[in-house]
Amino acid sequence: MYRRDLLLKDFSILALFFSAIQIELFFGFTCSSRLRAIAAVKRYSVGVGLLLFIFAAPVTCRSQELSRAAVAAIAKASTVLIDVGGQGSGSGFCIDPSGLIITNEHVVRGYGQGGILTVVVDAGLKTERVIPAKVVRRDKVRDLALLSVESNPAIPSLSLGTDESVSELSELIVLGFPFGNALAKPGTNPSVTANVVNVSALRRDENNAIDRIQLDSNLNPGNSGGPVMNREGRIVGVVISGIVGAGINLAIPVNRLRQFLERPILVFTPPTVEVDQQTLPAEFRVTASQLTGEPLELELELILRLAGSAESRLPMKKEGSVYQVKAVPFPDATPPGIIRTQLQFADSLLTTAVVDREVRVGDNTFKLSEIAWIKNSHRMEVALPSGERFRGPVESSGSLKAKLAGKWIELDLPSVKELNVLPEIAIPLNCKIIAIKKGGDKDEVGSIQYKLYHEGAPRGNLDAIKMEKYLKPLDSAEPNTYLNAVSAPGEVLGGGASLNFGGDLLRMTGDDRVIRVNIGQNLNLTFAAPNQERLKVGEYRRVMRYPNNEDLPGLSIEVNGRGGIQPIGSFVIWELEIKEKNVVRLAVDFVHRCEPAGQPFYGMLRFNSLMR
């Protein structure tokens, strides 16, 4: 197949050839013959001229450079600020009008697939919009992630260029949000920043393909995930990293981005399941699209599984670009009058369903469904979800009807050392969608996973921790390092954000008296033992701010240097191992309030922990 530039050259030669023929005809024929020959050659020359125009015009348009201002204007409308809560922020850009956003994987690291982030469109302008988005694909090796913006975003999208348009000393335009909100007034978002950069080197892999583009400009933290544009207004790279102050930065080339986008993009729209509709069929919808690569014909299958139940596999029917199927999300929903509990005996722990019943402690009567937990030692102690507690002798004992191995059995209530009432529905429905290429070997070409809860359902232990109901974590086959925390709406430190941090962001210092946890540059947690004591596995309540805790446990949380003056709360250490004054393992759950009536900041911290 000819290249267009070679075709252009060939047609130029043909034009000269036919011009020569025209001269020869003019001097070699009779007058009448000349006139006919000239007319024929003119017609042929017009055809050649049209072909020259057809092939030459696109080449001229494709290579036409735009001004710097024009490129910046094109890209600014598509470049978005990505707010990842306590982790800071990054940059991204729209790659498709449906609301697909490209950024770096390290920008959204710690957010699982489906984890909700915030995308700011037209940041710093009067037209600014803040839109939720979710992670639909990630690639840690390429350091790329794909987000899907919820609702109708109406964000202009950018077009992909080619690696061939990039060479050493090429001038490029980079856009993003250096230092995030640090360049904006308090309470506002920054406007996008545009930089003119030059290519200082092309780093190639073993196959001589461009692996990284080295740029000669001082880009900064916050630029990660931003677009690198050529002077034709097309994407040729994605900012990835740099050395602050050194004038050296790297970008992922567009060929790597194309490879990332070749697999089908699956966006899952889970059904909204109300409490009274858990056992009714609901519609599961998935959109499948491709941005690059050879178009594929796909078959989609939905796999549903509840813990302890067999999985069900359902083929999805295609209507346009949407695949859908109806299924019952929670066929085994807990019936009324049944509550889920965690029962602690002298030598065992049992998580099971029990029949709701009344318990009388002193002069007070409670239903099990109304309490947070019961502790039974010499005297019964009952805690309500509000934190209020009651103590006294048990005046109504009797049996506890519990479910074990599918059968209902009677348990002696006084034999239960501790009873924790679990959130009503804490077990999610695991949803997995796989895309299979039609025909041939039916290879799997894409998949996504999602955990579905009914509306208002507590999401695991975090909701119990919020009520200071500390439930013993399950054992883990592999060490875990993470922080999952929630700042309740109205909480002054976290501003109502949900925080999810992976292991590579946590820094642990201290010993068995004081443990300090640093996460990034903005979040610090301190857990301290009372004076003259050492931290150990157990529950710590009535905390005071460290280092003013004296004979009480110490708990401090600081966000951007701010902390509570007189915090209250509690924490429980489930696992703690110290070697040579260094923290080796730690599992702790905590609740912190800046003031008695304040909203809680609560969470789960694991460091090399063998607990989930």
Side-chain angles (χ1 to χ4, degrees), residues 246-295:
I248 297 177
N249 291 272
L250 297 174
I252 303 165
V254 70
N255 72 302
R256 297 288 191 250
L257 177 57
R258 286 183 182 276
Q259 293 167 4
F260 175 71
L261 294 172
E262 280 179 357
R263 287 169 63 88
I265 298 167
L266 307 176
V267 179
F268 178 43
T269 304
T272 299
V273 182
E274 302 293 344
V275 176
D276 59 352
Q277 298 175 343
Q278 297 176 68
T279 58
L280 300 179
E283 188 170 73
F284 294 76
R285 296 166 58 90
V286 178
T287 58
S289 60
Q290 282 181 261
L291 298 183
T292 63
E294 180 184 353

Side-chain angles (χ1 to χ4, degrees), residues 25 30-43:
L25 288 171
T30 62
C31 183
S32 60
S33 299
R34 280 183 208 149
L35 292 175
R36 290 194 300 272
I38 289 171
V41 169
K42 282 184 177 180
R43 288 195 299 272

Side-chain angles (χ1 to χ4, degrees), residues 16 43 71 73 83 123 195 200 207 229 246 307 334 371-372 473 500 534 585 607:
L16 291 173
R43 288 195 299 272
V71 174
D83 187 349
N195 293 82
S200 55
N207 299 317
M229 311 290 294
T334 305
I371 67 173
N500 300 273
R534 298 178 185 276
R585 296 187 191 281
F607 181 73

Side-chain angles (χ1 to χ4, degrees), residues 533-551:
E533 295 185 24
R534 298 178 185 276
L535 288 169
K536 58 184 179 181
V537 171
E539 186 174 311
Y540 294 85
R541 296 190 179 265
R542 295 182 59 217
V543 302
M544 288 291 291
R545 176 171 177 153
Y546 177 83
N548 303 319
N549 54 300
E550 297 181 349
D551 293 331

Side-chain angles (χ1 to χ4, degrees), residues 12 18 25 52 87 110 123 138 143 147 153 162 165 195 204 236 238 256 260 292 305 366 373 469 484 527 587 592 597:
S12 299
F18 282 110
L25 288 171
L52 284 171
Q87 289 180 236
R138 60 178 70 242
D143 201 359
L147 313 182
T162 63
S165 65
N195 293 82
R204 297 181 180 273
V236 292
V238 183
R256 297 288 191 250
F260 175 71
T292 63
R305 186 177 64 83
F366 308 95
W373 49 259
K469 291 165 53 176
N484 288 344
F527 303 93
H592 174 281

Side-chain angles (χ1 to χ4, degrees), residues 238-561:
V238 183
V239 178
I240 180 174
S241 63
I243 303 173
V244 177
I248 297 177
N249 291 272
L250 297 174
I252 303 165
V254 70
N255 72 302
R256 297 288 191 250
L257 177 57
R258 286 183 182 276
Q259 293 167 4
F260 175 71
L261 294 172
E262 280 179 357
R263 287 169 63 88
I265 298 167
L266 307 176
V267 179
F268 178 43
T269 304
T272 299
V273 182
E274 302 293 344
V275 176
D276 59 352
Q277 298 175 343
Q278 297 176 68
T279 58
L280 300 179
E283 188 170 73
F284 294 76
R285 296 166 58 90
V286 178
T287 58
S289 60
Q290 282 181 261
L291 298 183
T292 63
E294 180 184 353
L296 300 174
E297 286 193 60
L298 303 175
E299 295 176 350
L300 265 61
E301 186 176 41
L302 173 66
I303 303 173
L304 302 178
R305 186 177 64 83
L306 277 170
S309 303
E311 69 178 24
S312 59
R313 305 176 73 102
L314 305 167
M316 304 190 76
K317 183 180 179 181
K318 184 180 180 182
E319 294 186 6
S321 62
V322 178
Y323 294 76
Q324 55 192 14
V325 67
K326 284 191 174 183
V328 176
F330 298 98
D332 298 324
T334 305
I338 305 297
I339 59 174
R340 297 181 64 250
T341 61
Q342 188 180 73
L343 307 177
Q344 178 73 58
F345 299 91
D347 56 357
S348 62
L349 183 69
L350 175 65
T351 299
T352 185
V354 302
V355 177
D356 198 7
R357 54 156 292 180
E358 289 187 345
V359 176
R360 184 174 178 83
V361 179
D363 297 329
N364 301 283
T365 301
F366 308 95
K367 296 193 74 170
L368 291 177
S369 56
E370 298 172 341
I371 67 173
W373 49 259
I374 300 174
K375 291 184 179 179
N376 186 14
S377 53
H378 299 296
R379 295 165 66 87
M380 181 80 76
E381 182 178 10
V382 172
L384 302 184
S386 64
E388 190 176 5
R389 299 188 186 189
F390 300 87
R391 296 177 178 85
V394 180
E395 297 186 8
S396 53
S397 56
S399 63
L400 191 67
K401 194 172 183 179
K403 197 171 188 178
L404 183 63
K407 297 181 179 180
W408 291 98
I409 63 172
E410 301 284 339
L411 296 175
D412 185 27
L413 182 58
S415 69
V416 178
K417 300 301 180 184
E418 184 173 336
L419 182 152
N420 286 286
V421 178
L422 299 178
E424 181 185 355
I425 297 290
I427 300 176
L429 175 67
N430 294 299
C431 310
K432 183 177 181 179
I433 297 97
I434 59 173
I436 301 168
K437 182 180 177 181
K438 276 187 177 180
D441 297 329
K442 292 186 176 292
D443 296 330
E444 182 178 318
V445 292
S447 66
I448 53 174
Q449 297 189 59
Y450 187 86
K451 293 185 183 297
L452 177 66
Y453 295 82
H454 75 67
E455 287 295 290
R459 311 272 176 112
N461 279 15
L462 276 176
D463 293 273
I465 292 170
K466 179 181 180 181
M467 299 182 290
E468 296 192 57
K469 291 165 53 176
Y470 293 115
L471 310 180
K472 186 176 180 180
L474 299 175
D475 293 336
S476 173
E478 297 180 356
N480 292 301
T481 300
Y482 65 83
L483 171 70
N484 288 344
V486 175
S487 166
E491 197 275 325
V492 297
L493 296 181
S498 294
L499 310 178
N500 300 273
F501 298 98
D504 53 344
L505 295 174
L506 273 68
R507 300 291 180 268
M508 194 80 54
T509 59
D511 51 31
D512 57 0
R513 294 184 183 275
V514 180
I515 296 174
R516 298 178 179 86
V517 185
N518 171 259
I519 302 170
Q521 301 177 352
N522 305 318
L523 179 58
N524 296 280
L525 299 90
T526 303
F527 303 93
N531 285 354
Q532 310 304 318
E533 295 185 24
R534 298 178 185 276
L535 288 169
K536 58 184 179 181
V537 171
E539 186 174 311
Y540 294 85
R541 296 190 179 265
R542 295 182 59 217
V543 302
M544 288 291 291
R545 176 171 177 153
Y546 177 83
N548 303 319
N549 54 300
E550 297 181 349
D551 293 331
L552 294 173
L555 173 61
S556 294
I557 295 180
E558 294 183 353
V559 179
N560 295 322

